[in-house]
Amino acid sequence: MAQLEQIERELISESKIRSRVRELGQEISRDFDGETVILVGLLKGSVVFLADLAREITVPCHMDFMSVTSYGNDTESSGEVRFLKDLDEDINGKNVLIVEDIIDTGYTLREVVKVLSARNPKTLKICTLLNKASRRLVEIPVAYNGFDIPDAFVIGYGLDYAQRYRNLKYIGILKLIEK
Ligand code: IMP
């Protein structure tokens, strides 16, 4: 069966994203006053968010990236996570802030937190742009949350469907149509 998709509607506008990202940056800067923080982006979805967030943070920060994928189909995660790229930096004794685009079931971050906390960072916190709290299957402590969103498949501002839509300036809801 062929599948078509279309953007059903805009969920979060470009200007709402911009002002919330600014607030998150201010909050993070206050919390890490006098410290250096390593921003750890999870490729590829968090790249756009991390690039904007970093420029709203006023304390010294480094940027590093990990690549993980969760097994599953296009829109559902299976709970198994595969690590494709590790960090370049040693995080022992450092402040680490994981920057994620969206938390859905929580499986991906559970595995990332397990791996990174074993390296004894000074602090390990999570910042997510979007949170689908109603879909959570494992508990994840989120220090900074951009927006709580409903259970819908969203795209844009770094988030993709089949690698497309990452360059949209807003967050939209995607509708899949079976033909
Ligand atoms: P989790 O492991 O179920 O929490 O899923 C996290 C990952 O699934 C995210 O980093 C995204 O890559 C992907 N994901 C979950 N929900 C969406 C969505 O609505 N749109 C695009 N990607 C999503």
Side-chain angles (χ1 to χ4, degrees), residues 42-58:
L42 301 187
L43 295 171
K44 303 170 192 162
S46 72
V47 164
V48 176
F49 175 41
L50 187 143
D52 284 347
L53 180 68
R55 283 173 287 181
E56 300 294 347
I57 295 177
T58 51

Side-chain angles (χ1 to χ4, degrees), residues 148-163:
D148 283 312
I149 63 163
D151 179 11
F153 193 82
V154 291
I155 40 82
Y157 198 69
L159 290 135
D160 75 308
Y161 174 71
Q163 300 303 324

Side-chain angles (χ1 to χ4, degrees), residues 70 77-81 100 102-114 126 131-142:
S70 53
S77 142
S78 70
E80 267 183 275
V81 173
E100 178 59 310
I102 185 166
I103 312 179
D104 186 27
T105 62
Y107 286 141
T108 306
L109 277 181
R110 179 181 62 181
E111 297 309 309
V112 170
V113 165
K114 208 185 286 173
I126 293 169
N131 183 29
K132 277 192 213 171
S134 65
R135 296 253 314 159
R136 196 62 39 77
L137 296 177
V138 289
E139 202 186 322
I140 299 291
V142 179

Side-chain angles (χ1 to χ4, degrees), residues 1-4 177-179:
M1 209 188 300
Q3 202 172 45
L4 291 177
I177 307 152
E178 305 284 353
K179 288 284 279 180

